[in-house]
Amino acid sequence: MKNHRFLETLDNKIQKGINSCFFYGNIDDYFLFDFYLGIRSLRENLIYYFKDIKNFDIVIVIKEDRTFIPISKHKGVLDISQFDDLFNIKKERGGFGATKRATDSSKHQKQTEQLKQDNAETPFVNRINKILKNSDKKIALIVENFEWLLGLYSNEPQIEYINLFRKILNTNIHTIITMKKLELLEEYGFEFDDKNRLFIPNPSIEELSKTYRRIMYKNYPDKEINEFEFEDIIASIQGSKKTLKEAIRILQDVIKDKQTLSKELFKGRTKEIEKVTFDNVILDDSIKLSIQQRIENFLEKSQTATKGIVLYGPPGTGKTFIAKAVAYEYGMNFMAPSLSDLKGEFVGQSAKQIKMIFEEAKANAPTILFLDEVDTIFTARGTGDSFVNDMVNQFLVEIDGAIENKDVFVICATNRLESIDSAVISRFPDRIYISLPNRFQREEIINSKFKKFNLKDFTQEEREDILNKTEGLSGRDITNLMKKITQLGEENITKEKFDIILEVNENEFIDKFQKDVDVEIIKNPNITFKDVIGYDNIKTLLKEEAEYLLLNSSQKEKMKQFNILPPKGTILYGPPGNGKTTFAKALAGEYNMYYIQVISKDFVSNFVTDTIKKLETIFENSIKLSKMTKKNGVILFFDEIDALLLNVDLSIRATLLKLLEEKIRDFDSKVILISATNVDISNFDPALIRDGRFDIKIKIENPTKEEGLKILRKLFENDKNIDLKTDNFEKIYVEGLSIAQLKAIKDSIKRKEFYKNPEGEKIVIREFE
């Protein structure tokens, strides 16, 4: 019975003194008893177990139509009259030479009353009562499709039958009850726990493998098995979640006209499973070893074994790949339920969904249970989402139970470790960071995607350029790039092909970036500092940030040696209308950089987790774009930053500050952060804008009179629709106005002059009124 889908578990329960057990799940499937006895139904497996292995006197099957199939250990299947005789109360008889005694009148009266009661009851109830009266016998009772037998889907469930079976469950009769939905019994007072329930899963790889081999040897002895592909065939069937009944039907369909059992025959019938080993995983050896050690501790049921591990880090770094490799390398069942698999349709159902997932995992143990994006599944409780609370609470119950038996090893993956519920993350002290691939790993990934080509075929300069442009890309990003390149033909891979695909990838990335978080990205801003009048001191301060990006690697290294930190983070503040946005955009144009504009108030969501996720996406994508582009870098401009720093949730503010310090402040960063606000920064918490977060703070006042007159002149001269015949700007200039207000003056005059001569080719201004 070892490794049998349910008999080993049932036997363990009986040895612990558990007489009754509810079977649910895949109860209609076939089951491989063993290689010799072959494939049997659930009923046949249970009858053989109780009659031939456990030596029970009688096994009684009760079908959903309430008919009885009694099987005697010595006589086999009995007819119903034999069954009734077997359970009738025996009459007293005198022995040889004994004095014949008359029946006691009181005893006769009791028998008469019993007969009347039996006649009044239905045959079904009568037989159940007789079984109850003989509970001292070694009886096994198998009750099939219990919900139908009790009429639980009808308007009038059979309460009398429910009460009868509740009595049976309290006797010494070994009772197996099978049903599809265990929860239907909860409202009738039945209680369930791990002791009295047994989930029937889909077949394991071992059961499928032995079943296929047995069928081939027994039914198709003249046909062959492609041994090189057999493991992949079995894995694809198991990964497709096929029942054994379905798997047998597929085998019979594909092999009848073929000589050899091969993978090709199963295409379109099963899910193709990716064969992943640790050799395929491009990862630091120390991290691989750390993961392997934890799995081996789990499989050996070591005292130091943990509940699982959390793999965290940027998306696309192969966390799912690692989990699959672990399962394959150690021959473990692999389950990867999605959020929809875990989350119920209604509040209260999620707990049952999670319970079922763990039941299946335990039934196919040892199992790797992989939960991707776990931050979206088990977010912090108390957020007002009842579904999340249900899932978190039930997960805690299940994970604690799983570790006691050491049958399920949970691998969680997340990009946002801090967003996971604290009680959940506390169950996983082993947290392993999976970083973006380094230079050597990127080269290994690129080479692994080609059959006939290697990066060493390029010059050192070309190779370095490709590896530099793929910096910041995840393994998944690089894989997608290589697919596009191979589509151009692998026979003649050139540096030009790489450049074409890298540029296409960059444009696609920008499009997706803008859609995901609603930002504006300008590749080539059509403005430089030459277009900004005055404010020379401000231009100088802003240039100080950009100059660092123009240094070569040796110059930057020298800067490190001198312990000179490049300025990171600028906040522009002051009255509205003075071109804070223009300064940021002009800096991007001046130094050939991308310009990314974020309107802070537009993406602050009512849901804290959404806002945090958007912030992280903006910073991560800006960094990624800065590394993949030929341009000198990226200007990341947050307009109206006060929407994020004032009067918002503390966790949003904390996230932003953490991103400011950790994401763009290293020497290799090519992102310049500029923020703008019309709010007086003396209203900000000093900790929010201190050096190390915003190194440069620039107040942009309204222009001086000299600057204001120049700006006003420039506004008129730059308007191609105006024919200016005067330079008397003193007449219309008002001191102390912002640039936006000066522009409004220009627009007002332009409108008035147009109304005077709406037919003219240009608006002629001869003098200011």
Side-chain angles (χ1 to χ4, degrees):
M1 291 186 298
K2 187 169 177 57
N3 297 325
H4 190 282
R5 209 184 319 173
F6 64 83
L7 286 183
E8 183 182 11
T9 306
L10 176 62
D11 196 57
N12 289 335
K13 290 179 183 293
I14 289 175
Q15 289 181 26
K16 293 176 182 178
I18 300 167
N19 292 335
S20 303
C21 191
F22 290 85
F23 279 36
Y24 66 108
N26 197 3
I27 60 174
D28 295 329
D29 200 11
Y30 294 152
F31 303 86
L32 180 70
F33 191 93
D34 60 29
F35 202 82
Y36 174 71
L37 292 173
I39 300 151
R40 302 181 173 199
S41 66
L42 177 62
R43 178 197 295 176
E44 291 168 333
N45 271 265
L46 289 170
I47 290 171
Y48 187 87
Y49 170 75
F50 282 113
K51 184 171 71 72
D52 297 283
I53 297 177
K54 305 303 285 187
N55 293 312
F56 274 52
D57 298 324
I58 187 166
V59 180
I60 304 166
V61 177
I62 302 179
K63 297 168 65 178
E64 66 181 79
D65 61 2
R66 298 167 196 148
T67 57
F68 290 73
I69 304 175
I71 303 102
S72 168
K73 176 182 175 183
H74 301 293
K75 298 180 181 180
V77 179
L78 305 175
D79 61 35
I80 200 65
S81 62
Q82 289 174 309
F83 171 75
D84 289 342
D85 288 343
L86 186 64
F87 282 96
N88 277 340
I89 301 172
K90 294 182 180 179
K91 297 179 181 179
E92 289 188 352
R93 293 183 180 178
F96 180 77
T99 304
K100 191 173 183 179
R101 295 177 295 174
T103 304
D104 184 86
S105 60
S106 62
K107 188 172 184 179
H108 177 74
Q109 185 180 354
K110 287 181 180 178
Q111 290 177 343
T112 302
E113 289 174 357
Q114 181 65 49
L115 185 60
K116 287 180 180 178
Q117 183 181 345
D118 287 352
N119 289 334
E121 294 171 337
T122 64
F124 178 76
V125 174
N126 187 19
R127 290 188 179 107
I128 293 291
N129 280 324
K130 286 179 179 179
I131 294 171
L132 282 167
K133 289 173 184 175
N134 287 267
S135 61
D136 57 327
K137 290 186 178 182
K138 202 170 183 183
I139 301 170
L141 194 62
I142 302 167
V143 186
E144 297 180 335
N145 296 315
F146 197 48
E147 62 264 58
W148 292 99
L149 186 150
L150 298 179
L152 297 185
Y153 293 110
S154 68
N155 293 328
E156 297 181 3
Q158 299 293 320
I159 302 300
E160 182 183 14
Y161 297 169
I162 292 173
N163 292 332
L164 275 174
F165 280 102
R166 286 170 65 85
K167 289 180 184 178
I168 288 176
L169 295 177
N170 290 320
T171 67
N172 292 326
I173 298 172
H174 285 74
T175 306
I176 304 297
I177 291 176
T178 73
M179 59 189 304
K180 290 286 179 66
K181 295 183 178 180
L182 210 55
E183 61 268 23
L184 292 174
L185 291 175
E186 290 177 354
E187 64 178 285
Y188 298 102
F190 288 87
E191 295 182 357
F192 309 104
D193 55 29
D194 287 339
K195 294 179 182 178
N196 69 346
R197 69 179 181 213
L198 197 156
F199 176 74
I200 306 292
N202 282 327
S204 65
I205 284 178
E206 182 179 7
E207 185 177 1
L208 287 166
S209 176
K210 288 181 178 178
T211 298
Y212 266 37
R213 288 192 183 279
R214 187 180 193 279
I215 291 173
M216 292 293 291
Y217 295 154
K218 187 174 177 61
N219 299 340
Y220 307 101
D222 58 327
K223 299 183 186 293
E224 299 177 353
I225 295 175
N226 185 330
E227 293 294 344
F228 293 104
E229 297 180 352
F230 187 68
E231 283 186 6
D232 292 343
I233 293 170
I234 298 302
S236 70
I237 294 168
Q238 204 260 351
S240 303
K241 297 187 176 181
K242 300 294 183 184
T243 64
L244 193 62
K245 191 180 289 187
E246 292 169 333
I248 291 170
R249 190 181 301 120
I250 291 172
L251 175 61
Q252 291 169 338
D253 287 345
V254 302
I255 196 62
K256 54 188 175 184
D257 298 325
K258 306 295 179 182
Q259 183 59 36
T260 304
L261 189 68
S262 63
K263 283 170 59 175
E264 185 68 27
L265 303 179
F266 291 82
K267 281 190 175 179
R269 296 173 180 267
T270 59
K271 177 182 176 183
E272 193 166 342
I273 301 299
E274 189 178 14
K275 187 175 179 180
V276 182
T277 69
F278 263 122
D279 289 339
N280 305 130
V281 178
I282 298 173
L283 197 65
D284 286 342
D285 289 340
S286 60
I287 294 177
K288 280 187 187 180
L289 187 62
S290 176
I291 294 171
Q292 288 173 309
Q293 185 62 58
R294 285 162 172 80
I295 297 297
E296 287 166 10
N297 286 345
F298 163 76
L299 292 173
E300 294 167 3
K301 298 188 182 295
S302 166
Q303 292 297 318
T304 60
T306 58
K307 294 175 172 64
I309 56 177
V310 175
L311 305 178
Y312 69 102
T317 49
K319 295 181 278 290
T320 305
F321 208 60
I322 292 168
K324 287 181 178 179
V326 167
Y328 184 85
E329 288 279 0
Y330 290 94
M332 300 169 70
N333 178 41
F334 180 77
M335 291 177 62
S338 64
L339 177 59
S340 59
D341 295 325
L342 297 166
K343 191 172 184 177
E345 186 176 354
F346 305 105
V347 174
Q349 290 184 339
S350 297
K352 294 175 183 176
Q353 296 279 89
I354 290 177
K355 185 181 290 186
M356 287 290 291
I357 294 291
F358 270 89
E359 291 282 4
E360 184 178 350
K362 291 174 186 176
N364 276 323
T367 295
I368 293 291
L369 181 59
F370 178 68
L371 301 175
D372 199 7
E373 296 184 355
V374 73
D375 50 283
T376 64
I377 301 172
F378 303 127
T379 52
R381 286 168 291 179
T383 60
D385 189 334
S386 299
F387 287 97
V388 168
N389 294 343
D390 281 350
M391 288 194 291
V392 170
N393 291 333
Q394 189 61 41
F395 179 76
L396 295 175
V397 171
E398 297 297 335
I399 190 66
D400 288 341
I403 192 57
E404 288 180 14
N405 299 318
K406 295 185 173 64
D407 45 17
V408 179
F409 191 85
V410 180
I411 298 180
C412 298
T414 180
N415 310 328
R416 299 162 58 232
L417 196 63
E418 67 283 354
S419 298
I420 303 172
D421 184 87
S422 58
V424 172
I425 199 65
S426 68
R427 279 6 185 233
F428 297 95
D430 291 338
R431 301 159 203 167
I432 300 174
Y433 182 72
I434 309 298
S435 64
L436 292 169
N438 60 31
R439 182 208 176 283
F440 301 104
Q441 290 166 347
R442 293 198 300 278
E443 184 169 5
E444 191 176 351
I445 293 170
I446 291 171
N447 289 335
S448 70
K449 302 304 171 184
F450 296 115
K451 293 178 181 177
K452 304 175 182 178
F453 175 79
N454 194 292
L455 272 184
K456 290 180 180 177
D457 296 339
F458 283 156
T459 66
Q460 177 68 22
E461 184 179 352
E462 289 174 331
R463 185 162 67 249
E464 288 300 322
D465 185 52
I466 291 170
L467 293 174
N468 288 337
K469 287 176 182 175
T470 53
E471 185 181 357
L473 299 186
S474 66
R476 181 169 59 206
D477 296 331
I478 297 171
T479 298
N480 290 336
L481 272 177
M482 297 307 104
K483 286 179 181 177
K484 293 174 185 175
I485 290 174
T486 52
Q487 286 171 0
L488 297 178
E490 199 176 327
E491 295 300 325
N492 184 25
I493 293 177
T494 63
K495 177 64 166 55
E496 287 71 27
K497 285 184 179 181
F498 265 96
D499 288 339
I500 290 168
I501 296 301
L502 284 168
E503 186 173 356
V504 169
N505 181 68
E506 188 175 317
N507 292 331
E508 289 176 352
F509 177 80
I510 290 168
D511 289 341
K512 186 174 185 305
F513 186 1
Q514 292 182 118
K515 289 176 184 176
D516 286 348
V517 286
D518 193 24
V519 297
E520 181 188 9
I521 301 177
I522 300 176
K523 189 170 187 177
N524 298 303
N526 58 356
I527 182 174
T528 68
F529 281 143
K530 291 180 181 178
D531 302 301
V532 179
I533 300 168
Y535 295 102
D536 291 338
N537 60 326
I538 294 175
K539 295 176 188 174
T540 301
L541 288 170
L542 290 174
K543 286 180 178 180
E544 191 178 331
E545 282 204 76
E547 293 290 343
Y548 169 75
L549 299 182
L550 303 181
L551 300 178
N552 59 39
S553 56
S554 63
Q555 290 169 331
K556 289 181 180 179
E557 191 60 38
K558 182 68 70 82
M559 197 170 176
K560 284 184 188 179
Q561 293 174 10
F562 290 158
N563 199 24
I564 300 173
L565 295 174
K568 298 285 182 177
T570 296
I571 186 163
L572 306 176
Y573 67 101
N578 283 324
K580 302 179 191 71
T581 304
T582 303
F583 279 109
K585 197 177 292 185
L587 183 65
E590 185 82 11
Y591 288 93
N592 188 26
M593 302 171 77
Y594 272 108
Y595 173 77
I596 302 175
Q597 179 166 330
V598 182
I599 308 296
S600 304
K601 67 179 179 65
D602 286 350
F603 83 94
V604 175
S605 167
N606 289 329
F607 297 101
V608 171
T609 52
D610 287 348
T611 300
I612 289 174
K613 193 166 186 178
K614 286 179 181 178
L615 274 173
E616 290 173 336
T617 301
I618 288 169
F619 274 83
E620 287 167 1
N621 284 357
S622 298
I623 291 168
K624 187 178 288 189
L625 178 59
S626 74
K627 291 180 176 178
M628 70 170 63
T629 183
K630 293 179 180 178
K631 288 180 170 291
N632 291 321
V634 167
I635 299 294
L636 177 57
F637 179 65
F638 275 82
D639 201 8
E640 301 181 48
I641 192 68
D642 45 280
L644 279 169
L645 295 183
L646 293 176
N647 302 318
V648 294
D649 187 271
L650 292 176
S651 56
I652 295 176
R653 191 177 72 173
T655 299
L656 178 61
L657 297 179
K658 183 179 179 183
L659 292 169
L660 290 175
E661 291 186 21
E662 296 180 2
K663 291 294 184 181
I664 60 171
R665 298 198 60 79
D666 60 86
F667 276 93
D668 297 324
S669 173
K670 292 171 62 179
V671 177
I672 294 175
L673 176 71
I674 300 178
S675 301
T677 179
N678 300 329
V679 176
D680 188 341
I681 63 171
S682 63
N683 294 320
F684 286 78
D685 182 341
L688 302 180
I689 56 173
R690 66 168 171 79
D691 290 351
R693 288 169 178 166
F694 292 102
D695 290 341
I696 301 175
K697 304 166 191 67
I698 303 173
K699 186 175 184 179
I700 302 180
E701 301 278 15
N702 290 340
T704 63
K705 182 177 181 179
E706 182 183 357
E707 290 173 334
L709 285 167
K710 287 181 181 179
I711 292 169
L712 194 58
R713 179 187 295 274
K714 194 77 171 178
L715 288 171
F716 277 94
E717 290 176 349
N718 287 346
D719 194 326
K720 295 179 181 179
N721 296 310
I722 293 176
D723 183 7
L724 190 64
K725 302 293 186 180
T726 179
D727 62 356
N728 186 16
F729 292 100
E730 288 275 3
K731 188 172 183 179
I732 59 172
Y733 176 73
V734 178
E735 193 169 355
L737 297 184
S738 67
I739 296 173
Q741 290 170 321
L742 293 175
K743 185 177 182 299
I745 290 174
K746 187 268 293 186
D747 291 340
S748 176
I749 293 171
K750 182 178 177 181
R751 269 194 310 274
K752 288 177 182 178
E753 294 297 332
F754 170 76
Y755 293 146
K756 291 178 182 179
N757 182 20
E759 302 298 331
E761 291 185 6
K762 282 195 173 186
I763 299 170
V764 180
I765 301 177
R766 301 186 183 281
E767 63 176 300
F768 297 122
E769 296 178 2

